[in-house]
Amino acid sequence: MSICYVNGRYLPLAHASVNVQDRGYQFADGIYEVIAVKNGQLWDEEWHLDRLERSLAEVQIAMPCTRPALKHIIRQVIQQNCNVEGGLYLQVSRGVASRDFAFPKPAPKPSLVVYIMPRRLGQSTKGVRVITIPDMRWKRCDIKSIALLAPVLGKQQAKEAGAFEAWQYVDGIITEGTSSNAWIVKNNTIITHPASPAILNGITRMRLLALAKENGIAIEERPFTVAEAHDADEAFASASTMVVVPIIKIDDAVIGNGNVGALTMRLRGLYEEAFKKLITD
Ligand code: PDD
């Protein structure tokens, strides 16, 4: 049975609920994080909590508790779920108040929900297809907002097209996937959109960039076009629970020779090695 923390209580997930006047429910007025968890260990927890604090500050929501208290709750949730492997989901909303767009005064206590989505990390290694779609999101994609309607519609479009993910573009430039960062490889250089308000600066993205740097792999953080993506030698997506997913087709363009890319798998290997080291240390 999955156990969920919700506003001070640990409850079976099926019985965990929030007030209908929660601003997360009514306005998507909240922030979330997903952290990979395996064998009771969290991957890059501090970076995720740094990003959580940054996102909350950008929308002027207070932390629901101190960082040590939050880490304690996270550990309780992991323990109560018997160290299940998956994505730890953490959501903070502005709290409960009667429905008015401006911030309620006095500020309500932010709502906090933490539970685990059980899943195997980094399952997909065979090579997948992505489609490209117009990016319909707002202009602050660097904030990990719970307002996810555009990504929901984009992912559904991908699913209906038989694809794994949809890569979004603005003026012909690929920003990122609906729930992952987008990467291509050209002439042994890995290329990904620079961190900016146009993308979520993925924690997996940052870790992969650090690993690439440490291992002498050439990197270009720069915008790339849909045409460049179609013509790439390799391509992949990254995110916390999917890790590194090789891409072998973008729209109808076969990437490289249609096989999973060597540099992609090298990066994935480096990531897994670092991860293993962390969980056995
Ligand atoms: N998605 N870009 C977007 C738009 C995302 O939603 C995500 C993560 C990423 C990758 O970020 P990270 O490496 O920190 O997981 C990039 C999460 C996992 C989700 O919404 O389920």
Side-chain angles (χ1 to χ4, degrees):
M1 180 176 48
S2 294
I3 298 295
C4 171
Y5 173 92
V6 52
N7 292 330
R9 301 206 290 165
Y10 296 88
L11 296 169
L13 187 57
H15 299 291
S17 55
V18 292
N19 191 303
V20 291
Q21 292 200 108
D22 191 283
R23 290 181 59 99
Y25 183 65
Q26 293 195 326
F27 293 115
D29 187 0
I31 297 297
Y32 78 107
E33 274 296 329
V34 176
I35 313 176
V37 57
K38 190 173 177 177
N39 297 342
Q41 300 289 328
L42 293 147
W43 178 242
D44 279 331
E45 179 185 18
E46 298 301 335
W47 287 5
H48 279 279
L49 296 183
D50 287 348
R51 187 172 66 185
L52 173 72
E53 287 189 9
R54 177 187 180 274
S55 293
L56 287 171
E58 289 295 320
V59 298
Q60 300 173 56
I61 296 177
M63 274 282 276
C65 55
T66 63
R67 187 140 160 173
L70 183 56
K71 288 169 92 167
H72 175 75
I73 292 166
I74 289 172
R75 272 151 193 77
Q76 286 293 315
V77 169
I78 294 171
Q79 236 180 46
Q80 295 202 26
N81 286 284
C82 308
N83 294 338
V84 68
E85 177 178 348
L88 182 124
Y89 181 83
L90 190 161
Q91 176 175 317
V92 181
S93 82
R94 198 178 302 278
V96 177
S98 57
R99 190 175 179 281
D100 187 2
F101 281 74
F103 298 170
K105 273 225 156 54
K109 193 172 163 34
S111 300
L112 172 63
V113 169
V114 183
Y115 67 93
I116 298 176
M117 307 176 288
R119 63 184 56 159
R120 287 280 311 282
L121 300 178
Q123 255 168 326
S124 191
T125 52
K126 284 198 306 276
V128 298
R129 173 172 173 252
V130 300
I131 56 169
T132 56
I133 61 170
D135 194 336
M136 298 192 299
R137 299 172 304 163
W138 71 329
K139 293 189 169 65
R140 288 303 306 275
C141 299
D142 54 315
I143 297 171
K144 202 160 169 64
S145 153
I146 59 172
L148 293 172
L149 196 48
V152 163
L153 295 177
K155 191 77 93 179
Q156 179 62 22
Q157 206 178 324
K159 196 173 171 186
E160 285 171 13
F164 173 81
E165 174 63 299
W167 278 10
Q168 304 164 108
Y169 58 82
V170 178
D171 297 333
I173 300 289
I174 302 280
T175 52
E176 61 182 333
T178 62
S179 66
S180 57
N181 287 114
W183 307 71
I184 58 170
V185 177
K186 194 73 191 173
N187 302 325
N188 288 317
T189 299
I190 57 173
I191 304 165
T192 194
H193 196 288
S196 82
I199 68 158
L200 181 76
N201 191 2
I203 303 301
T204 320
R205 174 189 181 278
M206 289 198 278
R207 178 58 64 193
L208 287 171
L209 288 172
L211 287 168
K213 223 171 266 172
E214 278 166 33
N215 288 277
I217 298 168
I219 304 164
E220 279 180 22
E221 283 183 80
R222 65 160 174 87
F224 63 88
T225 63
V226 174
E228 275 183 287
H230 287 160
D231 191 43
D233 298 335
E234 301 181 23
F236 59 95
S238 73
S240 291
T241 56
M242 63 173 79
V243 185
V244 170
V245 178
I247 292 165
I248 52 176
K249 210 169 184 190
I250 300 176
D251 297 318
D252 290 324
V254 174
I255 302 306
N257 55 13
N259 293 319
V260 166
L263 193 49
T264 301
M265 290 316 277
R266 184 171 167 219
L267 268 170
R268 188 185 155 101
L270 290 170
Y271 190 89
E272 279 173 352
E273 209 179 285
F275 190 38
K276 228 177 272 157
K277 232 185 264 165
L278 177 100
I279 62 180
T280 52
D281 273 351

